[in-house]
Each structure stands twice: as structure tokens, then as C-alpha cells.
Amino acid sequence: MDLATLQAQQTLFIKQRFTMMINRYEVTSVQPDGTPGTQLAFVEQKRMAFKEQVTLYRDDSKTGVFAAFKARSVIDLGATYDVTDENGAPIGLFKKDFAKSLLRSTWHVEPAGGARFTGQERSLPIALLRRFADLTFWPYHFDFVRDGQPVFSVVKKFALVRDKYTVQIHDPAIDRRLVVAMAVALDALQAR
């Protein structure tokens, strides 16, 4: 799929593929009837990496790259992740706010050349329940806002085996590669 098609999407589905040793995700469009549509991207987390690294491919053949994100440091509870395009040029970055995330996971996102915005779990009771009852399969909602205006939201669906997400994009100018990277990070990095 091409970047223009990805950028035109207002709603995305992200589904984790079941594998034993690696995180893989399929990103699809959404049909008018609400069912998954065309595959837009395929995402894979690098195995046994010294620093966390995730690549967004054009499809599951992995012949073309849309983007990637990588941790700046090896071990850091508030690590910064740089999101780059296929040529290594910056798209943006995101960083977990460790202190605020003790009770409710909070992330800061900064598009390259754009204003920073913040995403946080919508429900404090569910955030606490997920932490203290170890309900990692439990659904959750993240809202990313800038100056009180929604940028995008990520909703994790109830699933016991493969995680599934619906991503609703409110800001038409936001780079969808940054949105997909952040949404995947919510699954791949949340427990860290």
C-alpha cells in the first residue's frame, strides 16, 4: 500500500498476529460496514534487540518500509522513541511519562516540526484494575489531545489471545505513520 492511501484513513484497525517469539501486527482500513478492509501496513518488532526497535512495512512481504521506531537508550523507564521514515528522516517521537504512568499510562508525542500532545488512559478505575489485578487482556482507551482538542484515540478491544485495536484519527494533518507507531507501542511497550 502507498503512503497517500494510509494518510487518507480516518479509522484504522490494528490486529496482533499470534506468534511465539515476536510481536507482529496487521494494520487495515475500515470498510463502510465496520469490518476490516485492505491491509495498509505490516508491523514487526525486532527480535532480541539491544534497544527496542519496530518496523512498519508496506505489507507482510516486508519488501518496502513505511517507517520505524527505536528507543534512544537501552534501559530507561521513560525512554524516548524516535519515529523515522524509510530513509531515516524524523517523523516524530514519543516518550512515556513514567511518574504519571504509575497510576494511569501517559505518553507524550511530538511530531517533527509540530506541537507536542499527550495521550492518557481514559479511565483511572480501569487503569488501576489492569495494574493491580493483572488484567492485561482487559480493554482500555487512550485519548491523545493537544490544547484540549482530540488528535487521535486508541481503543483496545476485549481479547484473550490476540490484541485488537481501533484507532480513530481526529486531526487530518497528523502523520498516520506516527499514529500507527504510537498505537503499536501501546501494545508492544505498555508492560515495560
Side-chain angles (χ1 to χ4, degrees), residues 41-60:
F42 177 74
V43 183
E44 186 172 271
Q45 186 175 20
K46 189 172 182 180
R47 295 177 194 235
M48 312 289 252
F50 196 54
K51 293 182 186 178
E52 287 293 344
Q53 184 172 343
V54 176
T55 305
L56 286 70
Y57 296 98
R58 294 183 186 279
D59 57 39
D60 52 9

Side-chain angles (χ1 to χ4, degrees), residues 91-125:
I91 294 172
L93 61 87
F94 56 86
K95 179 179 181 163
K96 189 169 191 175
D97 187 323
F98 179 73
K100 287 184 179 179
S101 294
L102 291 174
L103 294 178
R104 186 187 293 185
S105 292
T106 303
W107 293 82
H108 301 292
V109 183
E110 189 173 324
R116 179 178 166 181
F117 56 91
T118 301
Q120 187 174 56
E121 285 181 272
R122 186 180 299 165
S123 170
L124 179 59

Side-chain angles (χ1 to χ4, degrees), residues 66-78:
F66 267 136
F69 68 86
K70 186 175 183 178
R72 286 185 182 172
S73 57
V74 178
I75 297 176
D76 182 1
L77 298 175

Side-chain angles (χ1 to χ4, degrees), residues 129-185:
L129 187 63
R130 283 187 337 100
R131 281 158 181 72
F132 299 115
D134 194 29
L135 298 176
T136 55
F137 61 87
W138 200 258
Y140 58 76
H141 305 77
F142 271 82
D143 295 310
F144 290 82
V145 297
R146 179 189 301 123
D147 300 326
Q149 296 299 311
V151 178
F152 68 93
S153 60
V154 178
V155 176
K156 180 180 180 185
K157 305 295 185 182
F158 182 82
L160 292 174
V161 180
R162 288 180 292 195
D163 295 331
K164 297 177 184 178
Y165 299 86
T166 300
V167 180
Q168 186 67 46
I169 301 156
H170 308 286
D171 179 350
I174 189 76
D175 191 316
R176 303 312 192 258
R177 297 170 296 180
L178 183 58
V179 172
V180 171
M182 184 71 250
V184 167

